[in-house]
Amino acid sequence: MSAIIEPIGILGGLGLLFGIGLSMASQVFHVESDPKVDKIRAALPGVNCGACGYPGCEGLAVGIADGEASVTACSVGGSMVAERIASIMGVAAGEVEKQVAVVLCQGDCEHAEDRYIYHGIEDCRAEDALAGGSKACTYGCLGCGTCQDVCDFDAISIVDGIAIIDREKCTGCELCVAICPKKLIEMVPYEQDVIVKCKSEEAGRFVRRKCTVGCIGCSICVKNCPDDAFIFENLLARIDYDKCTNCGICVEKCPTKSIWSGIEEVEQIAQ
Amino acid sequence: MDIFTILISTMFVNNFVLARFLGICPFLGVSNKIETATGMSIAVTFVVTLSSIITYIIQVSILDTLGLEFLQTIVFILVIAALVQFVEMVMKKTSPTLYDALGVYLPLITTNCVVLGVAILNIQEGFNLIQTIFNSAGASIGFGIALVLISGLREQFELADIPEALEGFPITLITAGLMSIAFLGFSGLV
């Protein structure tokens, strides 16, 4: 029995001894810290995603308490957290417009052509390194799920070979934006219901060969927009979200249906 | 072995970083500036020397007498972890600048192989208490020498025209390798 008891006794005894010593030392060498830091850390989501640019929520809490970071620095927490932190810091938070990440590609298996069959590491960055990936359109989503892996909030799913981000689950941490090798994921205001979901800057005839839902640069949307909200550059239409009123005219006019409409999606869910 | 031989041997011939390849993490992690490297060296020296003394006493008085040598690793880790915690507290109180500069590397001393390596080697070599103190002090000074040397070189890299592909860690690793080869020159000294 002593073969078991002795080691346990010694290890436990030493542990206890060090524990007591350390707790006494922590009393002696106690450093007064800003009580705000603890309160702010409690208010933060605590996922340590690093989207704010600080090393974890602890780092941001110190940053906010020092006044380096704004009270709205936590994009993940949104306005709820910002308000709580603002009340701790004693300042007004102001309105934070919620931004969500959107994959700007609709070229799923049904609509987009492939150039070759990719057998390799299931990682978009690896596939992208192989002549820009298997998709005929070099701008399109490769659908390996690299963004899905990096998402801490389970908001991204791969459907029919492209990534789709759930607007409700997205917290706007921008981790997927950073990792996408195609630079396909962009931040869009949560309220925005009309988005050009294509990044192809190729001429229309090439786009048509590769994908049936790509932007062919016909600029019909630009001509029909009542709010002058379209920016047409490099044979690609883009919406200025500040000007857009979500009227949906462009969605109807677009010949290739490359303009995605959240209005329809909402109606479909309602039905 | 006399004390002088032990010191020279652990500082140069068997330099823990460049000849035994222990403690590579802080060697690469905290070697950006000479200032922080010096601070880290002092912290490591303190922890290594103190932990070696305590581990030696525990080994001789408790583990050897009770025949529980197999507990060596876990007990030593316990001692080191407690010591590092203690050093961290003291440093936070007395020198917040150094505490901030060392950042995550201070808790990392806990799992640093130099500290455990020195403690275990002291026992393996059969040193007495005086030899243990000098061996561990020499080992950590050797660690400090390597750390300060490479941080000095890395400060120079800031100004040097390094090929883009080698910037940052690659050139540091190459330099570390060259330093290791240079330190081979000390072999046979003792």
Side-chain angles (χ1 to χ4, degrees):
Chain A
M1 269 311 272
S2 71
I4 300 171
I5 292 167
E6 273 179 7
I8 293 174
I10 286 171
L11 213 53
L14 282 172
L16 197 68
L17 200 71
F18 291 140
I20 294 168
L22 281 178
S23 65
M24 270 158 58
S26 73
Q27 294 291 322
V28 175
F29 295 104
H30 182 67
V31 180
E32 290 295 333
S33 64
D34 196 340
K36 275 182 196 161
V37 174
D38 291 329
K39 279 189 194 167
I40 295 169
R41 192 184 43 222
L44 288 169
V47 272
N48 293 322
C49 64
C52 51
Y54 283 84
C57 293
E58 168 84 41
L60 180 63
V62 175
I64 293 175
D66 288 348
E68 284 172 25
S70 83
V71 290
T72 57
C74 181
S75 56
V76 175
S79 51
M80 277 255 292
V81 168
E83 265 169 40
R84 249 182 284 162
I85 295 172
S87 70
I88 296 166
M89 293 293 289
V91 293
E95 230 7 74
V96 191
E97 190 182 31
K98 190 184 175 189
Q99 297 246 327
V100 290
V102 173
V103 180
L104 298 184
C105 180
Q106 298 192 104
D108 53 16
C109 303
E110 193 187 330
H111 296 105
E113 298 295 321
D114 278 342
R115 276 191 296 181
Y116 63 87
I117 298 165
Y118 175 74
H119 291 290
I121 312 163
E122 274 294 300
D123 190 305
C124 297
R125 288 166 296 179
E127 185 173 339
D128 183 45
L130 211 64
S134 63
K135 212 159 231 172
C137 171
T138 50
Y139 297 90
C141 173
L142 301 174
C144 287
T146 302
C147 49
Q148 188 182 22
D149 296 339
V150 85
C151 184
D152 283 334
F153 304 95
D154 211 13
I156 305 178
S157 49
I158 304 296
V159 182
D160 279 343
I162 56 163
I164 290 176
I165 301 179
D166 187 333
R167 277 206 284 187
E168 305 306 322
K169 285 184 184 168
C170 178
T171 59
C173 69
E174 299 190 24
L175 287 176
C176 52
V177 177
I179 204 134
C180 180
K182 295 289 191 188
K183 304 269 174 281
L184 263 178
I185 307 180
E186 281 182 10
M187 300 307 289
V188 172
Y190 174 75
E191 305 292 335
Q192 183 68 28
D193 279 330
V194 180
I195 301 162
V196 181
K197 279 201 172 180
C198 184
K199 289 273 274 186
S200 174
E201 293 177 354
E202 283 182 293
R205 56 199 171 98
F206 297 113
V207 175
R208 273 185 195 279
R209 263 180 234 164
K210 293 169 181 174
C211 178
T212 55
V213 287
C215 174
I216 52 172
C218 62
S219 75
I220 289 176
C221 50
V222 183
K223 288 165 199 151
N224 282 287
C225 182
D227 307 305
D228 204 17
F230 275 93
I231 303 160
F232 192 71
E233 278 174 352
N234 300 328
L235 302 171
L236 177 66
R238 191 154 62 80
I239 297 175
D240 183 343
Y241 302 122
D242 290 334
K243 288 184 185 167
C244 178
T245 54
N246 291 327
C247 66
I249 291 173
C250 51
V251 180
E252 282 169 33
K253 297 285 179 188
C254 181
T256 56
K257 300 286 167 239
S258 65
I259 304 181
W260 171 86
S261 167
I263 308 164
E264 275 174 28
E265 193 183 70
V266 173
E267 279 170 5
Q268 275 174 6
I269 294 166
Q271 280 169 10
Chain B
M1 259 200 278
D2 67 299
I3 287 157
F4 182 72
T5 322
I6 290 176
L7 269 181
I8 293 297
S9 143
T10 48
M11 274 162 67
F12 298 109
V13 184
N14 292 322
N15 186 295
F16 269 77
V17 180
L18 298 170
R20 291 196 208 256
F21 309 115
L22 294 173
I24 300 296
C25 170
F27 181 64
L28 297 174
V30 209
S31 56
N32 288 322
K33 281 192 207 138
I34 290 185
E35 205 187 336
T36 47
T38 319
M40 182 72 178
S41 310
I42 293 167
V44 167
T45 308
F46 184 72
V47 171
V48 168
T49 315
L50 210 57
S51 67
S52 294
I53 296 168
I54 297 175
T55 49
Y56 179 82
I57 294 168
I58 288 178
Q59 174 78 27
V60 171
S61 62
I62 303 175
L63 299 184
D64 280 350
T65 41
L66 293 174
L68 295 172
E69 285 87 356
F70 63 91
L71 281 180
Q72 195 187 47
T73 313
I74 193 163
V75 168
F76 283 14
I77 287 283
L78 196 67
V79 171
I80 293 163
L83 252 176
V84 171
Q85 279 294 313
F86 180 71
V87 171
E88 197 176 345
M89 278 178 208
V90 175
M91 205 176 270
K92 203 173 180 180
K93 181 84 173 175
T94 53
S95 170
T97 340
L98 188 59
Y99 177 78
D100 281 343
L102 292 180
V104 73
Y105 292 100
L106 190 62
L108 275 182
I109 300 180
T110 316
T111 49
N112 194 337
C113 41
V114 165
V115 189
L116 186 65
V118 173
I120 288 179
L121 279 173
N122 282 335
I123 309 298
Q124 276 179 7
E125 299 278 336
F127 289 146
N128 62 29
L129 187 58
I130 304 293
Q131 286 170 327
T132 294
I133 293 169
F134 279 94
N135 185 52
S136 33
S140 40
I141 291 168
F143 174 81
I145 290 172
L147 198 61
V148 172
L149 279 179
I150 198 165
S151 59
L153 288 168
R154 282 182 78 174
E155 279 189 0
Q156 298 296 316
F157 291 159
E158 299 287 320
L159 308 168
D161 184 22
I162 299 164
E164 205 176 323
L166 292 179
E167 268 173 22
F169 267 114
I171 193 77
T172 311
L173 289 171
I174 292 170
T175 316
L178 291 175
M179 280 175 70
S180 176
I181 295 171
F183 264 66
L184 272 182
F186 286 115
S187 63
L189 197 68
V190 176

mmCIF file of all heavy atoms in Angstrom, chain A residues 198-225:
data_model
loop_
_atom_site.group_PDB
_atom_site.id
_atom_site.type_symbol
_atom_site.label_atom_id
_atom_site.label_comp_id
_atom_site.label_asym_id
_atom_site.label_seq_id
_atom_site.Cartn_x
_atom_site.Cartn_y
_atom_site.Cartn_z
ATOM 1 N N CYS A 198 -21.578 38.241 -57.838
ATOM 2 C CA CYS A 198 -20.610 37.792 -58.835
ATOM 3 C C CYS A 198 -19.415 38.706 -58.760
ATOM 4 O O CYS A 198 -19.557 39.902 -58.536
ATOM 5 C CB CYS A 198 -21.203 37.806 -60.234
ATOM 6 S SG CYS A 198 -20.058 37.144 -61.476
ATOM 7 N N LYS A 199 -18.230 38.131 -58.938
ATOM 8 C CA LYS A 199 -17.021 38.950 -58.888
ATOM 9 C C LYS A 199 -16.250 38.873 -60.206
ATOM 10 O O LYS A 199 -15.127 39.352 -60.293
ATOM 11 C CB LYS A 199 -16.111 38.465 -57.754
ATOM 12 C CG LYS A 199 -16.619 38.751 -56.371
ATOM 13 C CD LYS A 199 -16.201 40.128 -55.893
ATOM 14 C CE LYS A 199 -14.807 40.067 -55.267
ATOM 15 N NZ LYS A 199 -14.429 41.349 -54.672
ATOM 16 N N SER A 200 -16.842 38.222 -61.216
ATOM 17 C CA SER A 200 -16.115 37.997 -62.464
ATOM 18 C C SER A 200 -15.935 39.306 -63.224
ATOM 19 O O SER A 200 -16.893 40.014 -63.513
ATOM 20 C CB SER A 200 -16.861 36.996 -63.331
ATOM 21 O OG SER A 200 -16.214 36.896 -64.572
ATOM 22 N N GLU A 201 -14.679 39.591 -63.577
ATOM 23 C CA GLU A 201 -14.393 40.811 -64.325
ATOM 24 C C GLU A 201 -14.135 40.495 -65.789
ATOM 25 O O GLU A 201 -13.596 41.313 -66.531
ATOM 26 C CB GLU A 201 -13.174 41.516 -63.703
ATOM 27 C CG GLU A 201 -13.488 42.050 -62.312
ATOM 28 C CD GLU A 201 -12.293 42.691 -61.646
ATOM 29 O OE1 GLU A 201 -11.182 42.625 -62.211
ATOM 30 O OE2 GLU A 201 -12.467 43.251 -60.551
ATOM 31 N N GLU A 202 -14.529 39.288 -66.201
ATOM 32 C CA GLU A 202 -14.300 38.902 -67.584
ATOM 33 C C GLU A 202 -15.393 39.477 -68.481
ATOM 34 O O GLU A 202 -16.458 39.880 -68.020
ATOM 35 C CB GLU A 202 -14.283 37.380 -67.697
ATOM 36 C CG GLU A 202 -13.001 36.772 -67.206
ATOM 37 C CD GLU A 202 -12.993 35.273 -67.384
ATOM 38 O OE1 GLU A 202 -13.781 34.608 -66.708
ATOM 39 O OE2 GLU A 202 -12.195 34.788 -68.199
ATOM 40 N N ALA A 203 -15.122 39.461 -69.780
ATOM 41 C CA ALA A 203 -16.108 39.945 -70.740
ATOM 42 C C ALA A 203 -17.290 38.981 -70.769
ATOM 43 O O ALA A 203 -17.146 37.792 -70.496
ATOM 44 C CB ALA A 203 -15.481 40.045 -72.117
ATOM 45 N N GLY A 204 -18.458 39.517 -71.112
ATOM 46 C CA GLY A 204 -19.707 38.776 -71.044
ATOM 47 C C GLY A 204 -19.698 37.430 -71.739
ATOM 48 O O GLY A 204 -20.172 36.441 -71.179
ATOM 49 N N ARG A 205 -19.099 37.350 -72.937
ATOM 50 C CA ARG A 205 -19.171 36.079 -73.667
ATOM 51 C C ARG A 205 -18.388 34.979 -72.941
ATOM 52 O O ARG A 205 -18.748 33.814 -72.980
ATOM 53 C CB ARG A 205 -18.687 36.244 -75.100
ATOM 54 C CG ARG A 205 -17.304 36.804 -75.232
ATOM 55 C CD ARG A 205 -17.097 37.358 -76.640
ATOM 56 N NE ARG A 205 -15.847 38.078 -76.717
ATOM 57 C CZ ARG A 205 -14.732 37.546 -77.200
ATOM 58 N NH1 ARG A 205 -14.725 36.316 -77.684
ATOM 59 N NH2 ARG A 205 -13.626 38.255 -77.227
ATOM 60 N N PHE A 206 -17.282 35.356 -72.283
ATOM 61 C CA PHE A 206 -16.521 34.353 -71.533
ATOM 62 C C PHE A 206 -17.278 33.934 -70.283
ATOM 63 O O PHE A 206 -17.282 32.765 -69.907
ATOM 64 C CB PHE A 206 -15.142 34.904 -71.154
ATOM 65 C CG PHE A 206 -14.291 35.224 -72.334
ATOM 66 C CD1 PHE A 206 -13.945 36.535 -72.624
ATOM 67 C CD2 PHE A 206 -13.853 34.211 -73.182
ATOM 68 C CE1 PHE A 206 -13.172 36.834 -73.722
ATOM 69 C CE2 PHE A 206 -13.074 34.501 -74.288
ATOM 70 C CZ PHE A 206 -12.731 35.818 -74.566
ATOM 71 N N VAL A 207 -17.921 34.909 -69.645
ATOM 72 C CA VAL A 207 -18.684 34.604 -68.439
ATOM 73 C C VAL A 207 -19.802 33.621 -68.777
ATOM 74 O O VAL A 207 -20.005 32.623 -68.091
ATOM 75 C CB VAL A 207 -19.264 35.878 -67.805
ATOM 76 C CG1 VAL A 207 -20.151 35.538 -66.613
ATOM 77 C CG2 VAL A 207 -18.158 36.821 -67.359
ATOM 78 N N ARG A 208 -20.505 33.886 -69.898
ATOM 79 C CA ARG A 208 -21.628 33.030 -70.297
ATOM 80 C C ARG A 208 -21.216 31.584 -70.502
ATOM 81 O O ARG A 208 -21.966 30.657 -70.186
ATOM 82 C CB ARG A 208 -22.233 33.560 -71.605
ATOM 83 C CG ARG A 208 -23.291 34.615 -71.408
ATOM 84 C CD ARG A 208 -23.888 34.957 -72.759
ATOM 85 N NE ARG A 208 -24.654 36.200 -72.732
ATOM 86 C CZ ARG A 208 -25.900 36.284 -72.286
ATOM 87 N NH1 ARG A 208 -26.510 35.200 -71.824
ATOM 88 N NH2 ARG A 208 -26.522 37.428 -72.302
ATOM 89 N N ARG A 209 -20.020 31.373 -71.087
ATOM 90 C CA ARG A 209 -19.537 30.020 -71.325
ATOM 91 C C ARG A 209 -19.293 29.267 -70.023
ATOM 92 O O ARG A 209 -19.411 28.060 -69.945
ATOM 93 C CB ARG A 209 -18.201 30.080 -72.091
ATOM 94 C CG ARG A 209 -18.359 29.912 -73.578
ATOM 95 C CD ARG A 209 -17.006 29.988 -74.216
ATOM 96 N NE ARG A 209 -17.006 31.006 -75.265
ATOM 97 C CZ ARG A 209 -15.905 31.495 -75.783
ATOM 98 N NH1 ARG A 209 -14.732 31.114 -75.345
ATOM 99 N NH2 ARG A 209 -15.989 32.390 -76.738
ATOM 100 N N LYS A 210 -18.917 30.005 -68.987
ATOM 101 C CA LYS A 210 -18.457 29.347 -67.765
ATOM 102 C C LYS A 210 -19.545 29.210 -66.703
ATOM 103 O O LYS A 210 -19.493 28.319 -65.866
ATOM 104 C CB LYS A 210 -17.291 30.138 -67.167
ATOM 105 C CG LYS A 210 -16.056 30.086 -68.043
ATOM 106 C CD LYS A 210 -15.022 31.084 -67.578
ATOM 107 C CE LYS A 210 -13.801 31.038 -68.491
ATOM 108 N NZ LYS A 210 -12.838 32.087 -68.165
ATOM 109 N N CYS A 211 -20.495 30.137 -66.722
ATOM 110 C CA CYS A 211 -21.434 30.173 -65.615
ATOM 111 C C CYS A 211 -22.711 30.864 -66.078
ATOM 112 O O CYS A 211 -22.646 31.891 -66.746
ATOM 113 C CB CYS A 211 -20.806 30.939 -64.452
ATOM 114 S SG CYS A 211 -21.870 31.131 -63.027
ATOM 115 N N THR A 212 -23.864 30.295 -65.743
ATOM 116 C CA THR A 212 -25.116 30.880 -66.224
ATOM 117 C C THR A 212 -25.654 31.967 -65.309
ATOM 118 O O THR A 212 -26.612 32.638 -65.640
ATOM 119 C CB THR A 212 -26.192 29.785 -66.383
ATOM 120 O OG1 THR A 212 -26.319 29.102 -65.139
ATOM 121 C CG2 THR A 212 -25.824 28.796 -67.459
ATOM 122 N N VAL A 213 -25.042 32.124 -64.146
ATOM 123 C CA VAL A 213 -25.537 33.164 -63.248
ATOM 124 C C VAL A 213 -24.492 34.254 -62.981
ATOM 125 O O VAL A 213 -24.555 34.951 -61.994
ATOM 126 C CB VAL A 213 -26.022 32.582 -61.895
ATOM 127 C CG1 VAL A 213 -27.323 31.850 -62.047
ATOM 128 C CG2 VAL A 213 -24.959 31.702 -61.281
ATOM 129 N N GLY A 214 -23.532 34.380 -63.922
ATOM 130 C CA GLY A 214 -22.481 35.370 -63.711
ATOM 131 C C GLY A 214 -22.871 36.729 -64.256
ATOM 132 O O GLY A 214 -23.768 36.862 -65.093
ATOM 133 N N CYS A 215 -22.201 37.771 -63.765
ATOM 134 C CA CYS A 215 -22.439 39.120 -64.263
ATOM 135 C C CYS A 215 -21.725 39.281 -65.597
ATOM 136 O O CYS A 215 -20.505 39.153 -65.679
ATOM 137 C CB CYS A 215 -21.923 40.152 -63.266
ATOM 138 S SG CYS A 215 -22.023 41.835 -63.895
ATOM 139 N N ILE A 216 -22.493 39.539 -66.662
ATOM 140 C CA ILE A 216 -21.903 39.625 -67.994
ATOM 141 C C ILE A 216 -21.553 41.058 -68.360
ATOM 142 O O ILE A 216 -21.114 41.353 -69.460
ATOM 143 C CB ILE A 216 -22.854 39.024 -69.059
ATOM 144 C CG1 ILE A 216 -24.241 39.661 -68.939
ATOM 145 C CG2 ILE A 216 -22.942 37.522 -68.891
ATOM 146 C CD1 ILE A 216 -25.181 39.278 -70.058
ATOM 147 N N GLY A 217 -21.760 41.940 -67.464
ATOM 148 C CA GLY A 217 -21.377 43.334 -67.697
ATOM 149 C C GLY A 217 -22.235 44.036 -68.719
ATOM 150 O O GLY A 217 -21.750 44.887 -69.470
ATOM 151 N N CYS A 218 -23.521 43.701 -68.768
ATOM 152 C CA CYS A 218 -24.410 44.312 -69.752
ATOM 153 C C CYS A 218 -24.852 45.708 -69.323
ATOM 154 O O CYS A 218 -25.335 46.488 -70.126
ATOM 155 C CB CYS A 218 -25.642 43.433 -69.978
ATOM 156 S SG CYS A 218 -26.644 43.234 -68.485
ATOM 157 N N SER A 219 -24.695 45.999 -68.052
ATOM 158 C CA SER A 219 -25.033 47.287 -67.431
ATOM 159 C C SER A 219 -26.514 47.668 -67.565
ATOM 160 O O SER A 219 -26.860 48.837 -67.507
ATOM 161 C CB SER A 219 -24.105 48.405 -67.924
ATOM 162 O OG SER A 219 -24.431 48.788 -69.232
ATOM 163 N N ILE A 220 -27.365 46.662 -67.728
ATOM 164 C CA ILE A 220 -28.812 46.931 -67.721
ATOM 165 C C ILE A 220 -29.249 47.439 -66.344
ATOM 166 O O ILE A 220 -30.043 48.365 -66.227
ATOM 167 C CB ILE A 220 -29.602 45.651 -68.108
ATOM 168 C CG1 ILE A 220 -29.398 45.358 -69.593
ATOM 169 C CG2 ILE A 220 -31.095 45.793 -67.788
ATOM 170 C CD1 ILE A 220 -30.039 44.090 -70.079
ATOM 171 N N CYS A 221 -28.655 46.847 -65.318
ATOM 172 C CA CYS A 221 -28.987 47.264 -63.954
ATOM 173 C C CYS A 221 -28.624 48.722 -63.715
ATOM 174 O O CYS A 221 -29.360 49.472 -63.080
ATOM 175 C CB CYS A 221 -28.286 46.367 -62.938
ATOM 176 S SG CYS A 221 -26.522 46.161 -63.236
ATOM 177 N N VAL A 222 -27.473 49.122 -64.283
ATOM 178 C CA VAL A 222 -27.014 50.494 -64.087
ATOM 179 C C VAL A 222 -28.024 51.465 -64.700
ATOM 180 O O VAL A 222 -28.371 52.481 -64.093
ATOM 181 C CB VAL A 222 -25.625 50.689 -64.739
ATOM 182 C CG1 VAL A 222 -25.097 52.083 -64.485
ATOM 183 C CG2 VAL A 222 -24.652 49.642 -64.229
ATOM 184 N N LYS A 223 -28.504 51.098 -65.914
ATOM 185 C CA LYS A 223 -29.433 51.991 -66.612
ATOM 186 C C LYS A 223 -30.798 52.046 -65.926
ATOM 187 O O LYS A 223 -31.473 53.077 -65.962
ATOM 188 C CB LYS A 223 -29.609 51.517 -68.061
ATOM 189 C CG LYS A 223 -28.391 51.786 -68.917
ATOM 190 C CD LYS A 223 -28.464 50.983 -70.205
ATOM 191 C CE LYS A 223 -27.078 50.872 -70.834
ATOM 192 N NZ LYS A 223 -26.925 49.630 -71.618
ATOM 193 N N ASN A 224 -31.200 50.950 -65.317
ATOM 194 C CA ASN A 224 -32.548 50.898 -64.762
ATOM 195 C C ASN A 224 -32.666 51.331 -63.300
ATOM 196 O O ASN A 224 -33.769 51.475 -62.790
ATOM 197 C CB ASN A 224 -33.109 49.484 -64.896
ATOM 198 C CG ASN A 224 -33.574 49.217 -66.316
ATOM 199 O OD1 ASN A 224 -34.598 49.734 -66.755
ATOM 200 N ND2 ASN A 224 -32.787 48.462 -67.052
ATOM 201 N N CYS A 225 -31.526 51.519 -62.663
ATOM 202 C CA CYS A 225 -31.596 51.834 -61.231
ATOM 203 C C CYS A 225 -32.112 53.256 -61.005
ATOM 204 O O CYS A 225 -31.523 54.216 -61.495
ATOM 205 C CB CYS A 225 -30.223 51.681 -60.603
ATOM 206 S SG CYS A 225 -30.255 51.988 -58.825
#
